[in-house]
Every structure is written in structure tokens, then in C-alpha cells.
mmCIF file of all heavy atoms in Angstrom:
data_model
loop_
_atom_site.group_PDB
_atom_site.id
_atom_site.type_symbol
_atom_site.label_atom_id
_atom_site.label_comp_id
_atom_site.label_asym_id
_atom_site.label_seq_id
_atom_site.Cartn_x
_atom_site.Cartn_y
_atom_site.Cartn_z
ATOM 1 N N VAL A 26 0.845 -1.185 0.000
ATOM 2 C CA VAL A 26 0.000 0.000 0.000
ATOM 3 C C VAL A 26 0.887 1.244 0.000
ATOM 4 O O VAL A 26 1.816 1.359 0.808
ATOM 5 C CB VAL A 26 -0.931 0.024 1.224
ATOM 6 C CG1 VAL A 26 -1.729 1.331 1.274
ATOM 7 C CG2 VAL A 26 -1.874 -1.172 1.211
ATOM 8 N N ASN A 27 0.620 2.157 -0.886
ATOM 9 C CA ASN A 27 1.352 3.418 -0.947
ATOM 10 C C ASN A 27 0.760 4.371 0.079
ATOM 11 O O ASN A 27 -0.327 4.920 -0.118
ATOM 12 C CB ASN A 27 1.267 4.017 -2.350
ATOM 13 C CG ASN A 27 1.963 5.372 -2.441
ATOM 14 O OD1 ASN A 27 2.828 5.690 -1.636
ATOM 15 N ND2 ASN A 27 1.578 6.157 -3.425
ATOM 16 N N VAL A 28 1.466 4.569 1.193
ATOM 17 C CA VAL A 28 1.002 5.429 2.276
ATOM 18 C C VAL A 28 1.665 6.796 2.136
ATOM 19 O O VAL A 28 2.889 6.894 2.031
ATOM 20 C CB VAL A 28 1.326 4.829 3.651
ATOM 21 C CG1 VAL A 28 0.863 5.773 4.762
ATOM 22 C CG2 VAL A 28 0.666 3.468 3.816
ATOM 23 N N ILE A 29 0.853 7.844 2.143
ATOM 24 C CA ILE A 29 1.354 9.214 2.042
ATOM 25 C C ILE A 29 1.044 9.919 3.356
ATOM 26 O O ILE A 29 -0.118 10.116 3.714
ATOM 27 C CB ILE A 29 0.686 9.956 0.867
ATOM 28 C CG1 ILE A 29 0.968 9.211 -0.439
ATOM 29 C CG2 ILE A 29 1.185 11.395 0.778
ATOM 30 C CD1 ILE A 29 0.094 9.656 -1.592
ATOM 31 N N HIS A 30 2.092 10.280 4.082
ATOM 32 C CA HIS A 30 1.935 10.933 5.381
ATOM 33 C C HIS A 30 1.901 12.444 5.193
ATOM 34 O O HIS A 30 2.768 13.018 4.534
ATOM 35 C CB HIS A 30 3.090 10.553 6.305
ATOM 36 C CG HIS A 30 3.188 9.089 6.585
ATOM 37 N ND1 HIS A 30 2.304 8.437 7.420
ATOM 38 C CD2 HIS A 30 4.055 8.136 6.126
ATOM 39 C CE1 HIS A 30 2.625 7.149 7.483
ATOM 40 N NE2 HIS A 30 3.680 6.946 6.703
ATOM 41 N N THR A 31 0.909 13.078 5.795
ATOM 42 C CA THR A 31 0.776 14.531 5.665
ATOM 43 C C THR A 31 0.516 15.164 7.016
ATOM 44 O O THR A 31 -0.199 14.610 7.862
ATOM 45 C CB THR A 31 -0.349 14.895 4.674
ATOM 46 O OG1 THR A 31 -0.500 16.311 4.612
ATOM 47 C CG2 THR A 31 -1.673 14.282 5.102
ATOM 48 N N ASP A 32 1.105 16.332 7.224
ATOM 49 C CA ASP A 32 0.971 17.032 8.490
ATOM 50 C C ASP A 32 1.204 18.525 8.255
ATOM 51 O O ASP A 32 1.713 18.917 7.203
ATOM 52 C CB ASP A 32 1.989 16.493 9.508
ATOM 53 C CG ASP A 32 1.623 16.850 10.944
ATOM 54 O OD1 ASP A 32 1.974 17.942 11.398
ATOM 55 O OD2 ASP A 32 0.974 16.015 11.601
ATOM 56 N N LEU A 33 0.840 19.344 9.232
ATOM 57 C CA LEU A 33 1.084 20.785 9.127
ATOM 58 C C LEU A 33 2.573 21.100 9.112
ATOM 59 O O LEU A 33 3.018 22.019 8.439
ATOM 60 C CB LEU A 33 0.423 21.523 10.292
ATOM 61 C CG LEU A 33 -1.105 21.589 10.318
ATOM 62 C CD1 LEU A 33 -1.571 22.238 11.619
ATOM 63 C CD2 LEU A 33 -1.629 22.370 9.132
ATOM 64 N N LYS A 34 3.351 20.320 9.874
ATOM 65 C CA LYS A 34 4.772 20.594 10.001
ATOM 66 C C LYS A 34 5.570 20.000 8.841
ATOM 67 O O LYS A 34 5.152 19.016 8.219
ATOM 68 C CB LYS A 34 5.310 20.064 11.329
ATOM 69 C CG LYS A 34 5.141 18.563 11.512
ATOM 70 C CD LYS A 34 5.724 18.086 12.840
ATOM 71 C CE LYS A 34 4.889 18.509 14.011
ATOM 72 N NZ LYS A 34 3.607 17.793 14.092
ATOM 73 N N THR A 35 6.703 20.586 8.566
ATOM 74 C CA THR A 35 7.654 20.046 7.598
ATOM 75 C C THR A 35 8.769 19.365 8.377
ATOM 76 O O THR A 35 9.496 20.015 9.129
ATOM 77 C CB THR A 35 8.231 21.170 6.716
ATOM 78 O OG1 THR A 35 7.178 21.811 6.012
ATOM 79 C CG2 THR A 35 9.228 20.608 5.718
ATOM 80 N N ALA A 36 8.886 18.055 8.236
ATOM 81 C CA ALA A 36 9.856 17.299 9.025
ATOM 82 C C ALA A 36 10.075 15.941 8.368
ATOM 83 O O ALA A 36 9.273 15.508 7.524
ATOM 84 C CB ALA A 36 9.345 17.126 10.457
ATOM 85 N N PRO A 37 11.160 15.250 8.717
ATOM 86 C CA PRO A 37 11.383 13.902 8.188
ATOM 87 C C PRO A 37 10.193 12.995 8.479
ATOM 88 O O PRO A 37 9.689 12.957 9.602
ATOM 89 C CB PRO A 37 12.642 13.440 8.937
ATOM 90 C CG PRO A 37 13.368 14.695 9.262
ATOM 91 C CD PRO A 37 12.295 15.703 9.564
ATOM 92 N N GLY A 38 9.736 12.294 7.468
ATOM 93 C CA GLY A 38 8.588 11.405 7.629
ATOM 94 C C GLY A 38 7.279 12.026 7.227
ATOM 95 O O GLY A 38 6.256 11.336 7.195
ATOM 96 N N VAL A 39 7.295 13.328 6.907
ATOM 97 C CA VAL A 39 6.094 14.010 6.417
ATOM 98 C C VAL A 39 6.259 14.167 4.909
ATOM 99 O O VAL A 39 7.114 14.920 4.446
ATOM 100 C CB VAL A 39 5.900 15.387 7.077
ATOM 101 C CG1 VAL A 39 4.676 16.087 6.493
ATOM 102 C CG2 VAL A 39 5.756 15.232 8.589
ATOM 103 N N ASP A 40 5.450 13.440 4.147
ATOM 104 C CA ASP A 40 5.579 13.463 2.689
ATOM 105 C C ASP A 40 5.027 14.755 2.094
ATOM 106 O O ASP A 40 5.579 15.279 1.125
ATOM 107 C CB ASP A 40 4.856 12.253 2.080
ATOM 108 C CG ASP A 40 5.423 10.935 2.585
ATOM 109 O OD1 ASP A 40 6.659 10.772 2.541
ATOM 110 O OD2 ASP A 40 4.637 10.089 3.040
ATOM 111 N N ILE A 41 3.917 15.227 2.642
ATOM 112 C CA ILE A 41 3.307 16.470 2.167
ATOM 113 C C ILE A 41 2.973 17.331 3.375
ATOM 114 O O ILE A 41 2.213 16.918 4.246
ATOM 115 C CB ILE A 41 2.019 16.207 1.352
ATOM 116 C CG1 ILE A 41 2.296 15.314 0.148
ATOM 117 C CG2 ILE A 41 1.409 17.526 0.890
ATOM 118 C CD1 ILE A 41 1.052 14.958 -0.648
ATOM 119 N N SER A 42 3.553 18.514 3.424
ATOM 120 C CA SER A 42 3.215 19.464 4.481
ATOM 121 C C SER A 42 2.029 20.295 4.002
ATOM 122 O O SER A 42 2.141 21.041 3.025
ATOM 123 C CB SER A 42 4.413 20.371 4.784
ATOM 124 O OG SER A 42 4.072 21.335 5.757
ATOM 125 N N ALA A 43 0.888 20.147 4.674
ATOM 126 C CA ALA A 43 -0.327 20.799 4.181
ATOM 127 C C ALA A 43 -1.365 20.924 5.276
ATOM 128 O O ALA A 43 -1.399 20.137 6.222
ATOM 129 C CB ALA A 43 -0.905 20.008 3.010
ATOM 130 N N ASP A 44 -2.215 21.937 5.098
ATOM 131 C CA ASP A 44 -3.399 22.155 5.940
ATOM 132 C C ASP A 44 -4.607 21.826 5.083
ATOM 133 O O ASP A 44 -4.897 22.524 4.110
ATOM 134 C CB ASP A 44 -3.433 23.614 6.411
ATOM 135 C CG ASP A 44 -4.669 23.934 7.254
ATOM 136 O OD1 ASP A 44 -5.531 23.052 7.420
ATOM 137 O OD2 ASP A 44 -4.760 25.075 7.736
ATOM 138 N N ILE A 45 -5.313 20.771 5.427
ATOM 139 C CA ILE A 45 -6.428 20.309 4.605
ATOM 140 C C ILE A 45 -7.509 21.373 4.460
ATOM 141 O O ILE A 45 -8.262 21.380 3.478
ATOM 142 C CB ILE A 45 -7.037 19.009 5.194
ATOM 143 C CG1 ILE A 45 -8.053 18.389 4.218
ATOM 144 C CG2 ILE A 45 -7.644 19.259 6.556
ATOM 145 C CD1 ILE A 45 -8.594 17.052 4.681
ATOM 146 N N LEU A 46 -7.590 22.318 5.400
ATOM 147 C CA LEU A 46 -8.611 23.363 5.337
ATOM 148 C C LEU A 46 -8.197 24.539 4.457
ATOM 149 O O LEU A 46 -9.028 25.389 4.137
ATOM 150 C CB LEU A 46 -8.937 23.864 6.746
ATOM 151 C CG LEU A 46 -9.503 22.808 7.713
ATOM 152 C CD1 LEU A 46 -9.792 23.437 9.064
ATOM 153 C CD2 LEU A 46 -10.754 22.162 7.145
ATOM 154 N N ASP A 47 -6.941 24.585 4.077
ATOM 155 C CA ASP A 47 -6.466 25.629 3.171
ATOM 156 C C ASP A 47 -6.720 25.180 1.729
ATOM 157 O O ASP A 47 -6.290 24.092 1.344
ATOM 158 C CB ASP A 47 -4.974 25.866 3.392
ATOM 159 C CG ASP A 47 -4.429 26.971 2.505
ATOM 160 O OD1 ASP A 47 -4.170 26.692 1.306
ATOM 161 O OD2 ASP A 47 -4.257 28.096 2.991
ATOM 162 N N PRO A 48 -7.409 25.977 0.916
ATOM 163 C CA PRO A 48 -7.758 25.552 -0.448
ATOM 164 C C PRO A 48 -6.563 25.133 -1.294
ATOM 165 O O PRO A 48 -6.627 24.147 -2.040
ATOM 166 C CB PRO A 48 -8.450 26.794 -1.036
ATOM 167 C CG PRO A 48 -9.003 27.505 0.149
ATOM 168 C CD PRO A 48 -8.003 27.296 1.244
ATOM 169 N N ARG A 49 -5.448 25.860 -1.190
ATOM 170 C CA ARG A 49 -4.273 25.502 -1.993
ATOM 171 C C ARG A 49 -3.652 24.201 -1.520
ATOM 172 O O ARG A 49 -3.263 23.359 -2.340
ATOM 173 C CB ARG A 49 -3.246 26.642 -1.933
ATOM 174 C CG ARG A 49 -3.674 27.912 -2.679
ATOM 175 C CD ARG A 49 -2.710 29.048 -2.429
ATOM 176 N NE ARG A 49 -2.692 29.430 -1.012
ATOM 177 C CZ ARG A 49 -1.955 30.412 -0.515
ATOM 178 N NH1 ARG A 49 -1.161 31.122 -1.313
ATOM 179 N NH2 ARG A 49 -1.994 30.709 0.777
ATOM 180 N N ASP A 50 -3.571 24.031 -0.199
ATOM 181 C CA ASP A 50 -3.033 22.778 0.328
ATOM 182 C C ASP A 50 -3.972 21.612 0.036
ATOM 183 O O ASP A 50 -3.526 20.487 -0.236
ATOM 184 C CB ASP A 50 -2.806 22.896 1.832
ATOM 185 C CG ASP A 50 -1.595 23.755 2.177
ATOM 186 O OD1 ASP A 50 -0.843 24.110 1.243
ATOM 187 O OD2 ASP A 50 -1.413 24.070 3.366
ATOM 188 N N HIS A 51 -5.257 21.877 0.121
ATOM 189 C CA HIS A 51 -6.229 20.825 -0.179
ATOM 190 C C HIS A 51 -6.062 20.335 -1.613
ATOM 191 O O HIS A 51 -6.169 19.129 -1.892
ATOM 192 C CB HIS A 51 -7.654 21.349 0.033
ATOM 193 C CG HIS A 51 -8.708 20.311 -0.130
ATOM 194 N ND1 HIS A 51 -9.362 20.079 -1.330
ATOM 195 C CD2 HIS A 51 -9.233 19.400 0.750
ATOM 196 C CE1 HIS A 51 -10.233 19.112 -1.178
ATOM 197 N NE2 HIS A 51 -10.183 18.680 0.068
ATOM 198 N N ALA A 52 -5.762 21.246 -2.513
ATOM 199 C CA ALA A 52 -5.540 20.865 -3.914
ATOM 200 C C ALA A 52 -4.315 19.964 -4.039
ATOM 201 O O ALA A 52 -4.300 19.025 -4.856
ATOM 202 C CB ALA A 52 -5.372 22.114 -4.775
ATOM 203 N N LYS A 53 -3.272 20.216 -3.234
ATOM 204 C CA LYS A 53 -2.078 19.372 -3.250
ATOM 205 C C LYS A 53 -2.416 17.953 -2.796
ATOM 206 O O LYS A 53 -1.925 16.968 -3.360
ATOM 207 C CB LYS A 53 -0.996 19.949 -2.344
ATOM 208 C CG LYS A 53 -0.329 21.203 -2.849
ATOM 209 C CD LYS A 53 0.968 21.493 -2.089
ATOM 210 C CE LYS A 53 0.741 21.709 -0.630
ATOM 211 N NZ LYS A 53 1.999 22.086 0.090
ATOM 212 N N LEU A 54 -3.241 17.852 -1.780
ATOM 213 C CA LEU A 54 -3.621 16.538 -1.271
ATOM 214 C C LEU A 54 -4.507 15.802 -2.271
ATOM 215 O O LEU A 54 -4.365 14.590 -2.475
ATOM 216 C CB LEU A 54 -4.341 16.680 0.068
ATOM 217 C CG LEU A 54 -3.541 17.316 1.206
ATOM 218 C CD1 LEU A 54 -4.418 17.494 2.442
ATOM 219 C CD2 LEU A 54 -2.318 16.480 1.539
ATOM 220 N N LYS A 55 -5.412 16.527 -2.883
ATOM 221 C CA LYS A 55 -6.325 15.910 -3.851
ATOM 222 C C LYS A 55 -5.559 15.408 -5.083
ATOM 223 O O LYS A 55 -5.965 14.434 -5.728
ATOM 224 C CB LYS A 55 -7.399 16.908 -4.264
ATOM 225 C CG LYS A 55 -8.548 16.291 -5.072
ATOM 226 C CD LYS A 55 -9.656 17.301 -5.286
ATOM 227 C CE LYS A 55 -10.795 16.710 -6.118
ATOM 228 N NZ LYS A 55 -11.423 15.548 -5.469
ATOM 229 N N ALA A 56 -4.433 16.060 -5.389
ATOM 230 C CA ALA A 56 -3.660 15.698 -6.575
ATOM 231 C C ALA A 56 -3.047 14.304 -6.485
ATOM 232 O O ALA A 56 -2.722 13.710 -7.518
ATOM 233 C CB ALA A 56 -2.558 16.735 -6.808
ATOM 234 N N VAL A 57 -2.902 13.764 -5.274
ATOM 235 C CA VAL A 57 -2.335 12.413 -5.146
ATOM 236 C C VAL A 57 -3.406 11.349 -5.358
ATOM 237 O O VAL A 57 -3.095 10.148 -5.356
ATOM 238 C CB VAL A 57 -1.656 12.216 -3.775
ATOM 239 C CG1 VAL A 57 -0.606 13.274 -3.545
ATOM 240 C CG2 VAL A 57 -2.675 12.210 -2.630
ATOM 241 N N SER A 58 -4.656 11.764 -5.523
ATOM 242 C CA SER A 58 -5.779 10.847 -5.810
ATOM 243 C C SER A 58 -5.883 9.705 -4.806
ATOM 244 O O SER A 58 -5.853 8.519 -5.173
ATOM 245 C CB SER A 58 -5.644 10.283 -7.230
ATOM 246 O OG SER A 58 -5.630 11.327 -8.179
ATOM 247 N N PRO A 59 -6.026 10.022 -3.515
ATOM 248 C CA PRO A 59 -6.123 8.946 -2.524
ATOM 249 C C PRO A 59 -7.407 8.143 -2.679
ATOM 250 O O PRO A 59 -8.462 8.685 -2.997
ATOM 251 C CB PRO A 59 -6.105 9.702 -1.192
ATOM 252 C CG PRO A 59 -6.677 11.045 -1.522
ATOM 253 C CD PRO A 59 -6.185 11.356 -2.901
ATOM 254 N N LYS A 60 -7.292 6.853 -2.452
ATOM 255 C CA LYS A 60 -8.467 5.983 -2.430
ATOM 256 C C LYS A 60 -8.979 5.766 -1.010
ATOM 257 O O LYS A 60 -10.093 5.266 -0.816
ATOM 258 C CB LYS A 60 -8.141 4.640 -3.077
ATOM 259 C CG LYS A 60 -7.907 4.713 -4.578
ATOM 260 C CD LYS A 60 -7.690 3.322 -5.148
ATOM 261 C CE LYS A 60 -7.471 3.356 -6.649
ATOM 262 N NZ LYS A 60 -7.209 2.004 -7.204
ATOM 263 N N ALA A 61 -8.129 6.109 -0.028
ATOM 264 C CA ALA A 61 -8.515 5.946 1.373
ATOM 265 C C ALA A 61 -7.834 7.023 2.201
ATOM 266 O O ALA A 61 -6.761 7.518 1.845
ATOM 267 C CB ALA A 61 -8.128 4.564 1.887
ATOM 268 N N VAL A 62 -8.478 7.383 3.304
ATOM 269 C CA VAL A 62 -7.954 8.398 4.213
ATOM 270 C C VAL A 62 -8.050 7.886 5.639
ATOM 271 O O VAL A 62 -9.086 7.347 6.048
ATOM 272 C CB VAL A 62 -8.733 9.724 4.084
ATOM 273 C CG1 VAL A 62 -8.348 10.693 5.205
ATOM 274 C CG2 VAL A 62 -8.496 10.373 2.734
ATOM 275 N N ILE A 63 -6.954 8.046 6.392
ATOM 276 C CA ILE A 63 -6.957 7.791 7.832
ATOM 277 C C ILE A 63 -6.872 9.130 8.537
ATOM 278 O O ILE A 63 -6.009 9.958 8.224
ATOM 279 C CB ILE A 63 -5.766 6.903 8.253
ATOM 280 C CG1 ILE A 63 -5.950 5.471 7.742
ATOM 281 C CG2 ILE A 63 -5.610 6.892 9.771
ATOM 282 C CD1 ILE A 63 -4.772 4.556 8.056
ATOM 283 N N CYS A 64 -7.772 9.350 9.478
ATOM 284 C CA CYS A 64 -7.795 10.604 10.237
ATOM 285 C C CYS A 64 -8.032 10.268 11.704
ATOM 286 O O CYS A 64 -9.161 9.950 12.086
ATOM 287 C CB CYS A 64 -8.878 11.535 9.704
ATOM 288 S SG CYS A 64 -9.002 13.105 10.584
#
């Protein structure tokens, strides 16, 4: 399974630094076309 880790902070182990509530960051997350989300 291709797991993409995302968080507000930029640090080792964070694949995408993003705020899901920010429209521009949300677009970055949507671009990876996830089939599943863990929250």
C-alpha cells in the first residue's frame, strides 16, 4: 500500500506538508488521488 503521510509541520517522515482546510493545500492533497484516508 502506498502510504502518504501529511501534516502541518515540515519534518522527516512528512511526505506532504499541508493544511487540509487551506484551499491551496487541499488541492495538493487531492492531486495524489487517494483511495482511502486515515484521520
